[in-house]
Amino acid sequence: MEVNYQIESEKDLKQTLDRLYQHSREGKSLNGLYEVIINEHTIITAIHDIKSNKGSMTAGIDRKTINHFLQMPREKLIRTVLTACGNYNPKPARRKHIPKGNTGKTRPLGIPTMLDRIIQQCVKTVIEPIIEAKLYEHSYGFRPYRSTHDAIARIAHLINIGRYRYVIEGDIKGYFDNINHAVLMRKLHKIGIIDKRVLAIIKKMLKSGIIEEDFKFYDIGKGTPQGGIISPILANVYLNDFDWMVSSRYENPYFSEEFANVKNARRKFRRVGRQPVFLVRYAQMIGSYSRKPKKRLQGI
């Protein structure tokens, strides 16, 4: 489906994002997203979102914070972002190592330049409703109006209604660092983002590389830029098929359409000895610049 909406105000932008969500829920693939991303109101909204984040005063390798862009005349600011998007070539992220809890170890955090963060936020603003419409219901990491507390509430609810007594906790080691770029791009296309210009921008974001604390450049062949604004939502896309696959093994049986309701389908599973299993996925917020995840999987 070709997206062709007139966006002349923040209200129009919100309505457009709502339409994208609805079209995605209907199973439509969406083209023409690039024009929404580079719209003036998308750019201004993205800058306001970044300004409200405490990381807006943390500079990348170019040493510029959000104040550098807020001091620009509006027309120049929009032109700067449009020019960067037109021939997008992101700068490497500045890597900073932060403490990993009380373990004595550290975890790497990537800090993109502020201009790259603005472009990432523009892209995230537009693709998020498309992706949200397709994500597994009980995935709680890095999603609007969801948190670890909601994941805990879901687990408590399952225990109370089903008298379950076992929780199996799993941690995906090095998850963000090992995401396969080619697989991720295919999953983005499958989820409904088919605008080749947008996919090309995301691909360049993934391959921007890093500048380590020793000032050496390191190319990255896999993984998402940890600390990047767009990384968490891409991580959710990568795991979404896994979420639905686990869900189909009991919670939402793959053959449920054959029955009047999902409870009857689950009853068939139990008759053949299939034990009830529910997936609850969440992410802990760790990091000084942005919400950096500690991915975990939990099943009951």
Side-chain angles (χ1 to χ4, degrees):
M1 175 180 175
E2 189 75 24
V3 174
N4 187 19
Y5 304 133
Q6 291 293 113
I7 304 176
E8 299 179 354
S9 67
E10 290 187 10
K11 181 179 179 181
D12 290 343
L13 175 61
K14 184 181 183 303
Q15 291 176 344
T16 294
L17 299 179
D18 289 342
R19 288 172 181 168
L20 292 177
Y21 178 88
Q22 186 58 41
H23 291 325
S24 183
R25 288 281 292 182
E26 294 168 358
K28 296 176 181 177
S29 295
L30 297 159
N31 206 347
L33 299 175
Y34 180 76
E35 283 72 21
V36 183
I37 288 171
I38 63 171
N39 181 272
E40 175 179 348
H41 297 286
T42 304
I43 294 171
I44 296 302
T45 298
I47 291 171
H48 287 165
D49 289 341
I50 292 173
K51 181 184 175 183
S52 65
N53 189 312
K54 64 180 182 180
S56 64
M57 299 308 295
T58 304
I61 63 172
D62 62 354
R63 301 181 181 278
K64 294 176 181 177
T65 68
I66 193 63
N67 286 342
H68 173 82
F69 295 91
L70 292 176
Q71 292 167 4
M72 286 184 180
R74 184 184 177 104
E75 295 76 12
K76 182 179 179 181
L77 174 57
I78 300 299
R79 189 167 60 251
T80 299
V81 177
L82 290 179
T83 300
C85 286
N87 185 24
Y88 191 52
N89 187 26
K91 289 182 170 59
R94 176 171 69 88
R95 174 159 285 182
K96 180 179 180 181
H97 293 266
I98 61 173
K100 185 178 180 180
N102 297 320
T103 64
K105 300 179 181 179
T106 62
R107 60 174 74 240
L109 181 68
I111 305 174
T113 65
M114 189 55 63
L115 181 57
D116 287 329
R117 272 180 258 177
I118 292 172
I119 295 173
Q120 286 190 25
Q121 184 65 48
C122 289
V123 173
K124 176 179 179 289
T125 298
V126 176
I127 70 172
E128 186 170 58
I130 301 170
I131 294 169
E132 273 293 312
K134 301 286 182 63
L135 292 183
Y136 171 61
E137 180 182 2
H138 298 297
S139 171
Y140 296 96
F142 306 111
R143 296 183 64 186
Y145 313 112
R146 293 169 182 249
S147 68
T148 304
H149 297 292
D150 297 312
I152 294 171
R154 168 64 176 169
I155 293 169
H157 171 72
L158 290 170
I159 291 173
N160 290 332
I161 67 168
R163 298 180 180 179
Y164 304 118
R165 292 293 179 265
Y166 298 96
V167 176
I168 301 174
E169 179 180 352
D171 184 4
I172 304 179
K173 183 178 180 180
Y175 173 57
F176 274 65
D177 294 333
N178 291 286
I179 288 177
N180 183 291
H181 292 171
V183 173
L184 174 59
M185 299 309 296
R186 289 197 296 270
K187 288 180 180 292
L188 284 167
H189 192 277
K190 177 184 174 183
I191 215 166
I193 301 167
I194 62 173
D195 191 322
K196 293 181 179 179
R197 298 164 297 176
V198 176
L199 293 174
I201 288 176
I202 294 174
K203 189 173 182 178
K204 288 183 178 180
M205 290 175 177
L206 293 171
K207 296 184 178 298
S208 60
I210 57 170
I211 298 291
E212 268 287 4
E213 293 175 321
D214 59 5
F215 302 107
K216 291 182 180 179
F217 172 78
Y218 293 87
D219 195 6
I220 296 179
K222 61 180 179 179
T224 62
Q226 295 191 52
I229 288 172
I230 202 171
S231 294
I233 194 170
L234 296 181
N236 277 336
V237 170
Y238 200 80
L239 277 179
N240 192 45
D241 287 336
F242 169 81
D243 293 341
W244 284 109
M245 182 275 292
V246 175
S247 172
S248 72
R249 301 304 172 123
Y250 182 82
E251 183 178 5
N252 297 294
Y254 56 86
F255 52 80
S256 59
E257 293 181 358
E258 302 173 11
F259 293 84
N261 55 60
V262 71
K263 290 183 179 180
N264 290 343
R266 291 176 186 170
R267 191 174 295 116
K268 178 180 177 180
F269 263 150
R270 291 195 295 272
R271 283 200 300 267
V272 298
R274 180 71 61 84
Q275 294 298 314
V277 174
F278 297 88
L279 175 69
V280 179
R281 184 161 66 81
Y282 71 95
Q284 294 179 347
M285 308 306 180
I286 301 173
S288 57
Y289 153 59
S290 68
R291 299 177 301 173
K292 184 171 181 296
K294 183 176 182 181
K295 279 287 179 183
R296 293 184 181 273
L297 304 179
Q298 284 196 326
I300 292 182

